[in-house]
Amino acid sequence: MLYRLPLFLGTVTCVVLTFVLSVTSLPADAEKGRRKVVHVLEDDTGAVIVQTAPGKVITHRGGSITLPCRYHHEPESSDPNRIRIKWTKVTDAMVFEDVFVALGLQQRVFRSYRGRVSLEQNGPGDASVIIHNVTLEDYGRYECEVTNDMEDDTGFVNLDLEGVVFPYYPRVGRYKLNYHQAEDVCKEQDAILASHAQLHKAWLEGLDWCNAGWLEDGSVQYPISHPRDQCGRKDTPAGVRNYGYRHKEDERYDAFCFTSNLNGEVYFLKRFKKVNYAEAVKACLRDSSVVAKVGQLYAAWKIQLLDRCEAGWLEDASIRYPIVNPRTRCGGPQPGVRHLGFPDLKFRLYGVYCFRKNQENVNVDEVKMTQRPGKSSKDIPINTTTTRNI
């Protein structure tokens, strides 16, 4: 959209071309405290044209991705050293996180993006940046702002990740997590809290879960593919049910977590006998690996198509197994990760799923410290004798 405004100094044209799908404009209060972006249209004596990518770009954890953004000067003699390029991440909660800024040859990268973000520099007018070694936290919406003297403009790019959403609750039972504890348990299981878009996509792919869980924006939702009386009445339509934004400290729910590609392999450790939890930890360590986390098992099932009809211990002391091709005596007609609950750590015997990193330099001392039965959050007590079945 172009706005005709009075010209302040000289005659400069700023024409903005942004082709972004499914992106809504920021509310006025979200811009409070940020410099107002002005779009100027006057005569044809000069122009700055800014263009961003259509819709979104998609990658996976560990990959590299270009966030496209280009600008064009008219006349061509405009001094490139006076162009300021700034990239910012915008969260669902309208929090702005600085990512990258460049002014001429001077560049600065911020916080967790340091060492991973650089200008693409694919010819004149390229404001695109490359993100290397993409993390789960990089998922989201990015703003590209290009400033030429007194005029500037912005475009938006959405960075999406290939991955899988999974519901999670700790050993102590369902509806025991406030928002911050939900963040913690997802991170402990090699994941992050899912976004509404990720949960909605999982619902479209068939996810059906009758317990409400936290999402990363502080809302509480749950996906229903097959309406039934136990899950909000049978006569209501299928969809993602939304409780709205809840009190992050006081209210308790489960969590919906999201994870992506593995930098390693999950496998079922073949043994002559079944083991308790402590023996499972030692068995994986002897095989130069660690007990797999829940998020790692889901990623192996979804992305690496791990299919194993044998129940095994995971790092949180739960018992699960992944099924890609449903068959008799393997837990029902639908594919998925089967969950048999949290059995007694000492007396119940199962197999074990291990995880081995692609890198060979694994710190064994660090591994030993991470293998603690049922540790789901520092604020959640552990009941080592509770068993739950789904």
Side-chain angles (χ1 to χ4, degrees):
M1 181 176 294
L2 302 176
Y3 301 88
R4 182 178 295 274
L5 298 175
L7 198 63
F8 296 103
L9 291 174
T11 55
V12 179
T13 302
C14 179
V15 182
V16 183
L17 300 178
T18 56
F19 304 93
V20 182
L21 305 178
S22 301
V23 175
T24 57
S25 60
L26 301 179
D29 58 352
E31 291 292 330
K32 186 176 181 181
R34 308 182 79 240
R35 185 164 55 88
K36 180 65 177 177
V37 176
V38 179
H39 310 277
V40 180
L41 177 60
E42 280 292 333
D43 58 21
D44 57 358
T45 60
V48 177
I49 301 173
V50 178
Q51 181 176 353
T52 53
K56 63 183 178 182
V57 293
I58 303 175
T59 186
H60 55 80
R61 178 168 56 178
S64 295
I65 191 69
T66 297
L67 303 185
C69 181
R70 298 192 64 84
Y71 63 93
H72 177 63
H73 293 281
E74 293 180 6
E76 296 293 341
S77 59
S78 298
D79 185 0
N81 291 324
R82 302 183 70 175
I83 293 295
R84 178 177 178 267
I85 299 169
K86 183 178 181 181
W87 281 90
T88 306
K89 186 179 180 185
V90 187
T91 71
D92 287 345
M94 293 304 167
V95 175
F96 298 87
E97 178 185 0
D98 290 337
V99 175
F100 175 89
V101 65
L103 179 61
L105 298 177
Q106 301 180 33
Q107 300 181 10
R108 183 179 178 185
V109 184
F110 296 88
R111 303 181 66 179
S112 63
Y113 296 93
R114 290 175 183 164
R116 300 192 298 118
V117 174
S118 59
L119 279 176
E120 186 177 46
Q121 296 181 319
N122 187 17
D126 187 11
S128 307
V129 292
I130 304 175
I131 302 180
H132 301 278
N133 191 23
V134 171
T135 69
L136 295 175
E137 291 77 13
D138 292 341
Y139 168 87
R141 186 184 186 204
Y142 290 81
E143 175 189 85
C144 173
E145 180 183 39
V146 179
T147 304
N148 179 17
D149 292 330
M150 291 190 65
E151 286 76 43
D152 57 9
D153 194 57
T154 60
F156 295 91
V157 181
N158 292 319
L159 172 56
D160 199 4
L161 294 179
E162 300 170 343
V164 58
V165 172
F166 61 95
Y168 188 83
Y169 63 91
R171 188 179 188 88
V172 292
R174 289 173 169 163
Y175 289 6
K176 301 294 185 182
L177 305 171
N178 67 24
Y179 175 83
H180 306 291
Q181 291 169 334
E183 279 189 313
D184 290 342
V185 296
C186 285
K187 289 179 181 179
E188 289 164 4
Q189 298 310 316
D190 193 43
I192 58 174
L193 277 175
S195 69
H196 169 75
Q198 290 167 337
L199 182 63
H200 185 263
K201 180 181 178 182
W203 170 73
L204 291 175
E205 295 173 351
L207 180 62
D208 183 278
W209 194 253
C210 196
N211 291 85
W214 291 103
L215 297 183
E216 58 92 18
D217 64 354
S219 66
V220 173
Q221 307 182 33
Y222 65 101
I224 295 296
S225 298
H226 308 288
R228 48 204 184 273
D229 288 336
Q230 309 95 299
C231 301
R233 294 173 52 184
K234 188 176 182 179
D235 57 352
T236 55
V240 178
R241 311 286 168 77
N242 192 340
Y243 287 1
Y245 298 100
R246 314 307 297 179
H247 195 287
K248 292 184 176 181
E249 300 288 346
D250 297 339
E251 299 193 41
R252 300 289 191 272
Y253 298 95
D254 293 345
F256 285 102
C257 306
F258 173 84
T259 193
S260 185
N261 272 24
L262 292 169
N263 185 23
E265 175 193 13
V266 173
Y267 62 97
F268 186 82
L269 183 61
K270 295 181 179 179
R271 293 180 54 85
F272 294 110
K273 65 176 184 176
K274 297 180 179 181
V275 293
N276 63 26
Y277 182 84
E279 294 168 337
V281 171
K282 294 177 182 178
C284 287
L285 288 174
R286 284 195 295 267
D287 205 44
S288 301
S289 61
V290 295
V291 179
K293 299 176 181 290
V294 176
Q296 292 167 341
L297 185 65
Y298 268 94
W301 164 73
K302 180 72 173 182
I303 300 170
Q304 299 178 352
L305 302 182
L306 179 63
D307 185 289
R308 189 85 184 194
C309 191
E310 296 186 70
W313 292 103
L314 292 184
E315 187 268 348
D316 68 339
S318 65
I319 301 297
R320 307 175 196 247
Y321 61 99
I323 296 296
V324 175
N325 302 305
R327 49 205 183 271
T328 306
R329 297 190 299 275
C330 289
Q334 300 298 325
V337 175
R338 314 291 192 234
H339 184 192
L340 303 185
F342 297 87
D344 184 274
L345 297 171
K346 184 175 181 180
F347 298 107
R348 297 299 298 272
L349 307 179
Y350 296 92
V352 58
Y353 286 91
C354 303
F355 172 74
R356 181 183 294 124
K357 289 185 178 180
N358 286 336
Q359 295 88 346
E360 296 181 359
N361 55 339
V362 178
N363 188 322
V364 176
D365 292 333
E366 180 180 345
V367 165
K368 289 180 179 178
M369 293 185 65
T370 63
Q371 300 293 308
R372 295 185 179 181
K375 183 178 177 57
S376 37
S377 175
K378 61 184 180 181
D379 296 323
I380 302 174
I382 302 302
N383 180 351
T384 60
T385 59
T386 300
T387 302
R388 292 185 178 270
N389 297 306
I390 295 178

